[in-house]
Amino acid sequence: GSLIQQYPFAVVHPSFEAMQTILFNAPDPVWGVEICQHVRSMIARQVQVHWFTDGSCFHPASPVSRYSAYAIVLDLCENDVQRIHAAEAYANSNMTCPCLQIATVARTQGEQDILRAEMQAVAAIMLQFGEGVIHTDSQSTIDYMCLALSANTPWEFAACEHMDILYKVWSHKQHVHNTL
């Protein structure tokens, strides 16, 4: 008789391992020199930096063909008065407000899912600048990042999804002064 009926198996495409290697070794996000200089200038002048993040996943239901990425937008306004003025000026326009600048976009490193993309966007800001108010639409990301930042040991978040990202944030937390 056949052993196939007795033992479960999974068919893996021959290039699956190569694709996984590529995904887990994707480059870190590239930050423009002008963006970095502007953010550092804002921090030096004690201006509260505001960031907006979003992650996305294409074909999320297909573990073998999905891919995800994220974007980080920097708010160039230095106070709420400027934000209100910019919002009023562009409210009825088809144009994008120039005070919102794309800081970086990147492919997700590792497993491809939307939560990982959201978490990597927030972690990228924390690790690159360590400062600012981060606006995200992912409550899970906020919860996980707060857990990592308040943890005394990695064991406190060891069972969380994407623990590797949380570990990077946790090990860098003495340099992080973000608000989620």
Side-chain angles (χ1 to χ4, degrees), residues 112-123:
Q112 302 293 292
D113 66 49
I114 193 160
L115 177 59
R116 188 171 183 87
E118 298 274 3
M119 290 174 66
Q120 279 189 351
V122 171

Side-chain angles (χ1 to χ4, degrees), residues 16 29 36 46 51 62 66 86 94 101 124 133 155 158 160 164 171:
F16 179 76
C36 291
Q46 298 182 342
W51 303 95
S62 177
R66 65 185 173 200
N94 289 334
Q101 293 292 309
V133 176
W155 290 108
C160 294
D164 61 313
S171 63

Side-chain angles (χ1 to χ4, degrees), residues 49-174:
V49 181
H50 285 260
W51 303 95
F52 297 89
T53 67
D54 200 16
S56 181
C57 187
F58 193 63
H59 298 301
S62 177
V64 295
S65 65
R66 65 185 173 200
Y67 59 92
S68 58
Y70 59 88
I72 299 172
V73 173
L74 172 64
D75 181 357
L76 299 177
C77 293
E78 297 192 1
N79 55 53
D80 288 340
V81 172
Q82 289 179 356
R83 284 184 192 87
I84 291 168
H85 178 71
E88 289 171 348
Y90 287 88
N92 297 319
S93 171
N94 289 334
M95 297 174 56
T96 302
C97 181
C99 65
L100 299 174
Q101 293 292 309
I102 297 172
T104 190
V105 295
R107 284 288 305 269
T108 306
Q109 298 170 332
E111 185 180 344
Q112 302 293 292
D113 66 49
I114 193 160
L115 177 59
R116 188 171 183 87
E118 298 274 3
M119 290 174 66
Q120 279 189 351
V122 171
I125 297 165
M126 291 178 167
L127 299 174
Q128 180 69 26
F129 298 103
E131 221 166 294
V133 176
I134 303 172
H135 304 272
T136 178
D137 62 354
S138 173
Q139 186 62 49
S140 295
T141 297
I142 293 169
D143 294 344
Y144 283 148
M145 292 297 171
C146 288
L147 177 62
L149 290 171
S150 65
N152 292 316
T153 69
W155 290 108
E156 295 177 46
F157 54 85
C160 294
E161 290 182 84
H162 310 303
M163 188 261 195
D164 61 313
I165 298 170
L166 298 174
Y167 183 77
K168 286 180 186 176
V169 169
W170 178 83
S171 63
H172 197 74
K173 74 179 183 176
Q174 67 273 14

